[in-house]
Every structure is written in structure tokens, then in C-alpha cells.
């Protein structure tokens, strides 16, 4: 690498390190997202381990004390407070009589089935009622000397082959996505500042009037933005490593362990992505007429990698997505965290695509710096 | 030496340069004088290869800027309008950065930067960030950037704009120094006093063309006027666009 390129990279980095906005953009993300993810994990643990009490209205509770006791052992209780759900369970007046006679005792469940928010609660109540009904039925059969199994011609025995880690696919996907996304966020402000910002401050024309080739300028700017992006990624990984160690993973049944091999893997896979992110952001900002315009374009452009990453973690896209940039690497990384073998072909192909896009954008940028329209923002 | 031959350039609907030819010699200060919109900045940008002429070519020390831009720019120093300072760098960093871009090693660049800081009496502000500099401080920093690598040719675009009397005098002295050292100094201006006080050769431009060439005295004689200002108006045939 020539002295001129090194001098330019050094200057870009000094300039950026003194720019609060550029540094903060990366820093906020690197510190913020692992903490947010942790908060989410804690919420999830809370939900999994202790389902909340479900308070509903129970009319004529005295008519069926045994049922009410059963429901309350499942966390379903009669409530008057504000958090009482709009679900009403009416126990008919002849409930006790019918129950004693061995007939069907009637309970009426009143709820708005179209209310999405109530769906889970209604299902939970129905399940508990079914369970109670089944239990009573079995007792009645036993009382008549009949094996209750006669009522279960088929016994379904589900064997879940999912390992605890693979159950967590979606959450792992989200965690990986926030890490990969760090390379897009951390370098973004520098990319805009060094392209659209440089032109706005009139230093682009001055730079171009010095004896440096447009290729040297493009390479220096891409390198500087990539370095910033990678520093952001390293910070995110380190903070994740610390923050994730506080999550009680045993309660979730899976773990995101940010160990050394994962960090190395992430950095190797992240480098081509960071290069592409740098090229993409610089290219878009050079096309924009001002700093502000570049900001709004980049925000729109950043939706694309986000969508690819989402598609990879939710398995909602066609097969081809496994070879594309970002989604390919994401899927491979998720496999890696799940403890499966790393799909090398997938990483190789998607990284090659990523690099090809980066080179294409760099060529475009180099050409654009020779255009009067771009340089003077005409 | 800067040689411009038959330059034509159209920007949008405007014929900014129209078959423009002139040369600026070493050891001389050449002034490019013209009203606003005469094509001075376009001309200088073309000399730097930032704009591509539709016709004609510009040579710096005999090197065609369009054919070998890096070699040609090596012989040039630019004092641009606007300055294009990096506000978060100090003048020392700024000057040495551009020295390195002109092919000096880091060590040489540091040395050259120290020299130019001494020469322009920049020492008191050399290690402050450029943000918040006065117009005079900005001018000195930009000028240091243009001459740090000691190019044979120095081009200045409207160098005296916004400067007070003291700064203008500093600038004049430096330009005369450069001339005495044998550099080719080319600057554009629309300020008569400036041009009259400094220039060995004046190139009067209007509507993208050369209207007259000569020393300030020769131009006055040619038009039979006492002052360069009157001569200038006589030459371009209108009093439009003359700013103080």
C-alpha cells in the first residue's frame, strides 16, 4: 500500500475519532444492543418460568367448589381488580346436581373470540376445563369398574428431537443479527461524513486537485470506514460476551455463549460484510447532494440488509436466500451457535457474493469521482 | 509554467470557456482578471483537471493535465475558493497531510510543515483545531497547504476575499517571495488594487474569452486611461459585475 493511501487512512481515522457524532453512533449501538438483548432474554425467562395468574369472572362459584379449586391451582381465579380479563365463566345452577347424577354438568364460557388479546387466555381456560373434564370422566369410569384407558384408543407419545439450542433458533437469529448489523451502524456516520460531508465542506475538490488517483482516494475511504465498522463489531462482541454471561441460560434451556471461537468466527465472517457495508454507504453518500440527503438515503438502504437478516432467522424466504450476502452468513453463523457443523460452502459462496458487490460499488465510486456532477454536486 | 490552449467548456446552457488561451511564466505573478461569471474559477478548475474541457488542453510545465493528471498535479499547489479546511484537524496535521499526498515521506512532510509554519508565522495556532479560526487564520492555513511541497506553480482562486489589510499585506509579501524564488504564480481576482499592486502580467477575461493581455501599465496605455479600473471597464465594454 502506498504512502499516500496510508496518509489518507490515518487522516480519515484521526478526523473521525474527533467527530463525536461518528464515534457515538458506533458506541451507542455496541453498548446498547447487547443490553437490550439481555433485557429481552430476562423478560422471556420470566414468561417461561411463571405464567401469570389469569383473573376472570366466575359466576356462581359456590355451585362447583371442586372445579374452582382445580382452576385456581392452574392460576385461573375469580377477580374483581382491574386486570380481570373480559372472560366470564358461568356455572349453571344445576351443576352440582348433574355432576352428582353422572350427567353432563353445564358451564358457560362467555368471551369475545374475535379479540386477539384474549385468544391465549381463552385457550388456557378451555384447556384447563378439558383437563378437569377428562379427570372427572376417568374417575367416573373407575367408579364403575372400567379402565379409563378404554376412552383413549390412541395414545400420542410425542418425542421432541430438538436439542435445547435448536429450539432457540429465532432468538439466536436475533442475537446474531444485532451483531452483524453493528458493522452497518458503526461505520455509517463516518461514511457520510467522509463523502457527502467532505463535499459539503468543499474539501473534496481540494483533495482531488492533489496528485492522488481516484482509486487511492476510494481505497483509503473504504479502508477507514471498514476499520470503524470492525471496531464497532469487536466492541459489540466484547460487550455481548460480558452481558450475556449474566443471563441465567439454564432457565431458558439454551445458551448464547460468546466464546473465543465464536468471536473469531464472527470477525472472519464480518470482515467482508463490513467491506460491503462501507462500499454501499460511501457509494450512496457520494450520490447524495448533501449530508442530510445522504442520511435519509442510507436509512432507506439499510432496510435491505435488515430484511435479508430477518429472512435468514425466520426461515420465511425461498431456498436461494442461503447463498445471498448477509442472509447466507447469518444462517451459517446460527448453525455454528447451535453447535452444528459450520456450512463452509454456504459461507464461501455468500462471502464471495458480498465481496463481488463491494468491488462493484468501489468501481462505481471510482468512476463517480471522475464525474464533474458528483464532485461539485451539480 | 502554465500553458492553456484553446480551452472551451460548456456547463449546462452557459459557454463558460470559449477558446481560451494564455500562458503564465515562471518568476512572474500573473493575474486572471474578470467580472463575476467570466469563467475564472472554471478556467482554474480545468487547469487542475477537475473539469474536463470540451476542447483544448492545459499543460503544467509541459505536462498535459488530462493525459497524466498525477504527474501534472505534482507541479501544482492550489489555494482554493472556498478553503476546504478540515475543522477537526490542526493546521500542523492539515498541512503535513497534504504534503504527504504530494509524495513527501512522513519525516519530510513534518520538516516541510515546520518550515512553512515558521515562514507564515503560524506557530501560535499550529496546534489548535481549525474550527473557529478567523478568516485570516484560515487563509494562512490554506496557503501553507498550497506551498508546503514547494511546487513550481501556485494557483490562487480569489485569494484576498474576506481578508483585512494586515492579512492582505502578508499574502502579498508571500506571493512576491514566491515570485522572486522563481515560482509561477497565477491568481484570479476581480479586485483592481490587488491586481495592479502585484501583477507582472494581467489577463483580462470576459465571457470565457481573453480580452487583453499585458502589464497593468501597458493595459492603461493601450486604453488611454489613468487607472486599471477604467482600463478594465473600457476593455470589457461594460461596468457590470465589478465588485470592490
Amino acid at each position: 500500500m502506498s504512502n499516500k493511501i496510508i496518509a489518507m487512512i490515518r487522516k480519515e481515522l484521526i478526523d473521525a475519532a474527533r467527530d463525536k457524532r461518528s464515534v457515538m453512533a458506533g458506541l451507542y449501538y455496541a453498548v446498547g444492543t447487547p443490553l437490550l438483548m439481555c433485557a429481552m432474554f430476562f423478560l422471556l425467562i420470566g414468561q417461561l418460568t411463571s405464567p401469570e395468574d389469569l383473573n376472570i369472572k366466575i359466576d356462581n362459584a359456590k355451585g362447583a367448589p371442586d372445579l374452582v379449586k382445580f382452576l385456581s391451582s392452574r392460576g385461573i381465579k375469580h377477580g374483581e381488580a382491574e386486570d380481570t380479563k373480559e372472560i366470564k365463566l358461568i356455572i349453571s345452577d344445576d351443576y352440582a346436581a348433574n355432576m352428582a347424577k353422572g350427567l353432563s354438568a353445564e358451564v358457560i364460557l362467555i368471551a369475545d373470540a374475535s379479540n386477539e388479546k384474549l385468544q391465549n387466555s381463552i385457550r388456557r381456560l378451555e384447556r384447563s376445563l378439558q383437563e378437569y373434564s377428562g379427570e372427572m370422566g376417568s374417575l367416573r369410569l373407575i367408579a364403575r369398574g372400567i379402565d379409563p384407558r378404554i376412552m383413549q384408543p390412541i395414545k400420542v407419545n410425542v418425542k421432541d428431537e430438538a436439542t435445547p439450542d435448536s429450539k432457540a433458533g429465532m432468538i439466536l437469529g436475533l442475537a446474531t443479527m444485532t451483531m452483524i448489523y453493528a458493522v452497518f451502524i458503526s461505520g455509517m456516520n463516518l461514511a457520510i461524513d467522509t463523502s457527502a460531508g467532505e463535499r459539503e465542506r468543499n474539501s473534496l475538490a481540494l483533495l482531488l486537485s492533489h496528485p492522488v488517483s481516484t482509486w487511492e482516494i476510494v481505497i483509503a475511504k473504504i479502508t477507514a470506514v471498514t476499520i470503524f465498522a470492525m471496531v464497532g463489531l469487536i466492541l459489540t462482541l466484547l460487550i455481548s460476551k460480558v452481558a450475556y454471561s449474566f443471563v441465567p441460560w439454564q432457565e431458558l434451556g439454551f445458551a448464547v455463549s460468546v466464546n473465543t471461537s465464536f468471536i473469531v468466527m464472527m470477525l472472519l465472517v464480518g470482515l467482508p460484510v463490513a467491506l460491503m457495508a462501507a462500499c454501499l454507504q460511501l457509494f450512496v453518500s457520494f450520490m447524495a447532494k448533501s449530508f442530510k440527503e445522504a442520511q435519509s438515503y442510507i436509512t432507506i438502504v439499510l432496510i435491505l440488509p435488515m430484511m435479508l437478516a430477518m429472512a435468514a432467522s425466520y426461515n420465511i424466504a425461498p431456498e436461494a436466500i442461503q447463498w445471498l450476502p448477509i442472509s447466507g452468513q447469518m444462517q451459517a453463523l446460527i448453525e455454528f451457535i447451535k453447535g452444528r457443523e459450520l456450512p463452509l460452502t454456504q459461507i464461501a459462496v455468500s462471502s464471495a457474493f458480498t465481496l463481488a458487490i463491494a468491488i462493484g460499488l468501489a468501481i462505481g465510486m471510482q468512476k463517480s469521482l471522475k464525474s464533474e456532477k458528483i464532485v461539485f454536486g451539480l | 509554467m502554465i500553458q492553456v490552449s484553446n480551452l472551451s467548456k460548456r456547463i449546462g446552457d452557459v459557454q463558460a470557456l470559449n477558446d481560451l488561451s494564455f500562458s503564465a511564466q515562471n518568476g512572474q505573478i500573473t493575474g486572471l482578471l474578470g467580472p463575476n461569471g467570466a469563467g475564472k474559477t472554471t478556467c482554474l478548475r480545468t487547469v487542475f483537471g477537475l473539469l474536463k474541457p470540451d476542447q483544448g488542453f492545459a499543460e503544467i510545465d509541459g505536462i498535459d493535465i488530462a493525459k497524466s493528471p498525477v504527474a501534472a498535479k505534482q507541479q501544482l499547489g492550489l489555494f482554493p475558493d472556498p478553503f476546504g479546511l478540515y475543522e477537526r484537524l490542526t493546521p500542523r496535521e492539515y498541512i503535513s497531510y497534504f504534503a504527504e499526498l504530494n509524495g513527501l515521506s512522513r519525516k519530510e512532510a513534518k520538516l516541510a510543515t515546520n518550515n512553512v509554519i515558521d515562514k507564515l508565522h503560524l506557530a501560535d495556532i499550529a496546534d489548535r483545531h481549525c474550527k473557529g479560526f478567523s478568516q485570516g487564520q484560515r487563509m494562512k492555513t490554506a496557503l501553507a497547504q498550497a506551498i508546503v511541497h514547494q511546487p513550481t506553480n501556485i494557483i490562487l482562486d480569489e485569494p484576498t476575499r474576506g481578508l483585512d489589510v494586515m492579512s492582505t499585506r502578508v499574502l502579498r509579501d508571500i506571493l512576491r517571495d514566491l515570485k522572486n524564488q522563481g515560482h509561477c504564480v497565477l491568481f484570479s481576482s476581480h479586485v483592481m488594487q490587488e491586481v495592479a499592486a502585484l501583477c507582472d502580467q494581467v489577463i483580462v477575461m470576459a465571457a470565457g474569452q481573453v480580452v487583453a493581455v499585458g502589464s497593468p501599465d501597458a493595459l492603461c496605455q493601450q486604453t488611454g486611461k489613468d487607472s486599471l479600473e477604467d482600463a478594465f471597464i473600457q476593455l470589457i465594454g461594460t461596468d457590470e459585475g465589478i465588485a470592490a
Side-chain angles (χ1 to χ4, degrees):
Chain A
M1 209 180 273
S2 78
N3 284 337
K4 288 182 191 177
I5 298 185
I6 293 171
M8 274 191 273
I9 295 172
R10 194 189 314 115
K11 177 253 148 193
E12 294 290 354
L13 290 178
I14 293 176
D15 201 11
R18 287 182 193 162
D19 179 17
K20 264 196 198 135
R21 215 163 18 165
S22 286
V23 175
M24 284 303 161
L27 217 56
Y28 282 142
Y29 187 88
V31 176
T33 45
L35 296 183
L36 273 176
M37 287 300 294
C38 276
M40 214 187 71
F41 289 135
F42 273 109
L43 268 177
L44 204 65
I45 289 170
Q47 268 189 0
L48 284 183
T49 45
S50 63
E52 287 169 59
D53 278 354
L54 172 59
N55 289 329
I56 59 168
K57 282 220 170 76
I58 302 179
D59 272 15
N60 190 22
K62 277 182 206 147
D66 190 46
L67 173 62
V68 171
K69 213 172 107 190
F70 177 86
L71 286 180
S72 103
S73 77
R74 295 287 189 277
I76 304 171
K77 287 173 189 154
H78 176 73
E80 298 287 346
E82 264 189 29
D83 63 340
T84 306
K85 292 266 164 57
E86 282 292 319
I87 300 174
K88 202 171 184 185
L89 189 69
I90 304 172
I91 291 156
S92 58
D93 293 332
D94 52 1
Y95 178 93
N98 281 333
M99 195 52 103
K101 279 186 227 157
L103 298 174
S104 288
E106 194 183 21
V107 293
I108 302 159
L109 199 170
I110 303 172
D112 179 358
S114 68
N115 186 342
E116 285 294 328
K117 282 187 209 155
L118 287 181
Q119 289 297 332
N120 272 333
S121 306
I122 296 172
R123 228 172 295 136
R124 184 168 153 199
L125 177 57
E126 278 177 341
R127 226 182 306 123
S128 301
L129 288 169
Q130 290 282 316
E131 215 179 313
Y132 182 74
S133 175
E135 217 165 277
M136 291 325 272
S138 297
L139 284 174
R140 283 176 178 182
L141 287 175
I142 290 168
R144 285 160 181 77
I146 301 167
D147 188 338
R149 273 178 296 182
I150 204 153
M151 293 302 289
Q152 300 169 346
I154 295 178
K155 189 181 178 200
V156 183
N157 198 348
V158 180
K159 274 193 180 147
D160 191 353
E161 279 200 312
T163 61
D165 281 354
S166 63
K167 270 186 207 161
M170 218 156 89
I171 290 165
L172 293 179
L174 198 60
T176 326
M177 189 178 89
T178 55
M179 293 177 198
I180 284 265
Y181 216 56
V183 303
F184 284 91
I185 303 294
S186 312
M188 182 171 84
N189 206 72
L190 172 57
I192 302 175
D193 193 72
T194 191
S195 49
E198 177 130 87
R199 184 175 50 211
E200 213 162 84
R201 292 188 298 263
N202 303 303
S203 48
L204 184 60
L206 176 63
L207 179 60
L208 284 166
S209 61
H210 280 271
V212 283
S213 71
T214 43
W215 264 121
E216 288 172 317
I217 296 175
V218 167
I219 289 170
K221 288 193 186 293
I222 292 174
T223 314
V225 176
T226 307
I227 289 175
F228 245 63
M230 287 306 281
V231 170
L233 177 60
I234 292 171
L235 264 180
T236 310
L237 285 171
L238 290 182
I239 292 171
S240 297
K241 186 179 169 63
V242 177
Y244 287 5
S245 67
F246 290 105
V247 179
W249 294 109
Q250 67 280 2
E251 290 187 42
L252 274 173
F254 64 88
V256 182
S257 60
V258 187
N259 51 29
T260 317
S261 68
F262 178 71
I263 290 181
V264 171
M265 197 67 229
M266 196 77 189
L267 291 179
L268 284 179
V269 171
L271 187 60
V273 180
L275 258 174
M276 186 188 72
C279 291
L280 185 67
Q281 290 167 342
L282 282 168
F283 182 80
V284 171
S285 323
F286 268 125
M287 290 298 152
K289 287 208 168 63
S290 67
F291 198 99
K292 285 244 167 78
E293 201 180 294
Q295 269 178 325
S296 34
Y297 285 166
I298 284 195
T299 319
I300 298 167
V301 169
L302 280 189
I303 295 174
L304 201 69
M306 176 77 104
M307 274 167 60
L308 280 170
M310 294 269 243
S313 43
Y314 292 98
N315 277 329
I316 46 170
E319 283 289 297
I321 205 150
Q322 62 175 318
W323 306 115
L324 293 183
I326 303 168
S327 53
Q329 284 110 320
M330 278 269 307
Q331 279 187 345
L333 281 169
I334 294 171
E335 292 291 294
F336 184 77
I337 314 186
K338 282 180 185 169
R340 303 212 189 109
E341 207 178 315
L342 189 73
L344 284 174
T345 340
Q346 190 178 4
I347 286 217
V349 172
S350 51
S351 296
F353 261 127
T354 311
L355 284 176
I357 292 176
I359 292 170
L361 288 167
I363 293 173
M365 228 185 302
Q366 187 264 342
K367 288 230 165 82
S368 77
L369 279 184
K370 289 188 171 156
S371 146
E372 298 164 8
K373 256 192 186 160
I374 300 287
V375 174
F376 293 105
L378 300 174
Chain B
M1 192 183 88
I2 297 166
Q3 172 85 43
V4 166
S5 309
N6 308 99
L7 280 186
S8 289
K9 173 76 186 171
R10 206 177 175 79
I11 298 178
D13 292 334
V14 184
Q15 187 72 40
L17 300 179
N18 189 3
D19 202 25
L20 184 76
S21 302
F22 66 82
S23 71
Q25 303 300 328
N26 288 351
Q28 280 195 358
I29 298 179
T30 306
L32 206 52
L33 187 64
N36 293 331
K40 298 186 297 288
T41 300
T42 306
C43 168
L44 296 184
R45 282 178 176 173
T46 314
V47 171
F48 267 94
L50 294 177
L51 297 177
K52 282 185 191 57
D54 302 330
Q55 267 172 31
F57 55 91
E59 287 173 326
I60 291 97
D61 292 349
I63 308 167
D64 188 338
I65 184 88
K67 284 183 187 139
S68 27
V70 172
K73 285 181 206 171
Q74 203 90 46
Q75 316 299 327
L76 280 173
L78 172 65
F79 177 94
D81 169 30
F83 297 136
L85 293 192
Y86 293 111
E87 306 237 305
R88 295 185 288 267
L89 296 188
T90 66
R92 193 185 294 284
E93 290 162 336
Y94 181 78
I95 298 162
S96 115
Y97 167 56
F98 282 108
E100 283 183 70
L101 289 193
N102 280 287
L104 273 66
S105 74
R106 199 157 162 66
K107 236 183 182 168
E108 291 165 348
K110 272 194 178 150
L111 207 68
T113 305
N114 282 336
N115 287 340
V116 83
I117 284 175
D118 281 348
K119 197 166 165 187
L120 297 185
H121 309 291
L122 273 170
D124 52 333
I125 55 163
D127 296 300
R128 263 169 52 192
H129 289 187
C130 294
K131 194 171 183 155
F133 271 16
S134 73
Q135 196 68 6
Q137 291 167 327
R138 284 168 184 274
M139 180 277 286
K140 282 187 187 176
T141 310
L143 185 62
Q145 167 273 130
I147 61 175
V148 63
H149 55 292
Q150 305 199 315
T152 18
N153 309 281
I154 294 134
I155 294 184
L156 305 98
D157 195 359
E158 308 272 350
T160 52
R161 93 206 93 94
L163 293 187
D164 57 21
V165 182
M166 282 79 80
S167 302
T168 310
R169 285 200 166 176
V170 172
L171 183 71
R172 271 187 211 158
D173 291 345
I174 293 163
L175 293 187
R176 284 206 189 96
D177 264 6
L178 288 168
K179 166 189 150 181
N180 293 336
Q181 287 164 23
H183 291 278
C184 165
V185 179
L186 172 66
F187 76 92
S188 74
S189 182
H190 51 215
V191 185
M192 298 303 141
Q193 300 91 310
E194 219 41 69
V195 174
L198 271 174
C199 291
D200 303 301
Q201 187 193 212
V202 181
I203 295 157
V204 182
M205 258 184 95
Q209 280 173 306
V210 174
V211 181
V213 181
S215 67
D217 289 341
L219 291 178
C220 290
Q221 276 180 5
Q222 185 188 331
T223 50
K225 303 282 181 188
D226 293 336
S227 71
L228 186 62
E229 185 171 323
D230 291 336
F232 176 71
I233 290 173
Q234 176 85 25
L235 284 166
I236 63 169
T238 163
D239 56 0
E240 180 194 342
I242 298 171

